[in-house]
DNA sequence: GACTTGACAATCC
DNA sequence: AGGATTGCCAAGT
């Protein structure tokens, strides 16, 4: 408990997101065990940037597949660019075929 | 130390 | 169908 277990779990899952795949805050929260703490997941992402973590936060979007947090990246189009580089198609800040690219985090960890 | 905010999501009118 | 409310957890004010 040096750091909140919540954050650690979030980071552990985000770090395991395969390249070219995406997941949602809610899915991560659910995998952790607190499906309703999706807000905190987002907060963890914001914190992860400040902590200089090497997490693919750009692979985490809201449940609609919308790049809600793109504004938090260094450059408003950084998130979209990163995702496109991984083979995803973004339209109007929303991931196309989101369902197809969706990656379900490991529930038991 | 209490209140507000925040990269969300599910539920209730 | 869509706006409003609640839940959850951490950090900032």
């Amino acid at each position: 408990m040096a750091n909140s277990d919540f954050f650690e779990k979030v980071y552990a899952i985000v770090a395991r997101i395969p390249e070219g795949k995406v997941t949602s805050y809610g899915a991560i929260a659910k995998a952790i065990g607190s499906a309703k703490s999706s807000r905190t997941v987002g907060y963890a992402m914001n914190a992860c940037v400040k902590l200089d973590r090497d997490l693919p936060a750009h692979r985490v979007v809201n449940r609609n597949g919308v790049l809600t947090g793109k504004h938090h990246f260094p450059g408003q189009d950084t998130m979209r660019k990163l995702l496109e580089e991984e083979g995803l198609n973004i339209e109007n800040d929303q991931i196309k075929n989101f369902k197809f690219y969706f990656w379900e985090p490991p529930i038991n960890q």
Side-chain angles (χ1 to χ4, degrees):
Chain A
M1 319 221 237
N3 293 338
S4 309
D5 289 345
F6 203 94
F7 275 39
E8 289 300 316
K9 288 172 184 170
V10 172
Y11 295 148
I13 291 174
V14 174
R16 284 180 175 125
I17 300 177
E19 190 176 301
K21 292 280 183 175
V22 292
T23 190
S24 66
Y25 303 96
I28 296 173
K30 196 173 184 180
I32 292 172
S34 304
K36 291 173 182 167
S37 55
S38 40
R39 304 177 81 179
T40 316
V41 175
Y43 197 89
M45 298 283 91
N46 189 14
C48 97
V49 176
K50 296 183 175 186
L51 294 174
D52 204 37
R53 295 272 181 162
D54 195 15
L55 300 177
H58 57 276
R59 294 179 190 148
V60 184
V61 295
N62 70 356
R63 87 161 205 89
N64 289 312
V66 179
L67 281 57
T68 48
K70 74 164 191 176
H71 253 276
H72 293 263
F73 279 81
Q76 303 180 359
D77 288 328
T78 305
M79 188 173 186
R80 183 176 70 96
K81 217 173 188 176
L82 288 169
L83 288 172
E84 284 184 340
E85 296 246 333
E86 296 190 359
L88 279 84
N89 303 309
I90 315 295
E91 164 116 355
N92 199 12
D93 295 340
Q94 183 173 0
I95 299 177
K96 287 227 163 204
N97 239 341
F98 174 59
K99 231 163 140 196
F100 177 75
Y101 290 114
F102 185 78
W103 173 80
E104 190 177 341
I107 302 282
N108 221 358
Q109 242 278 350

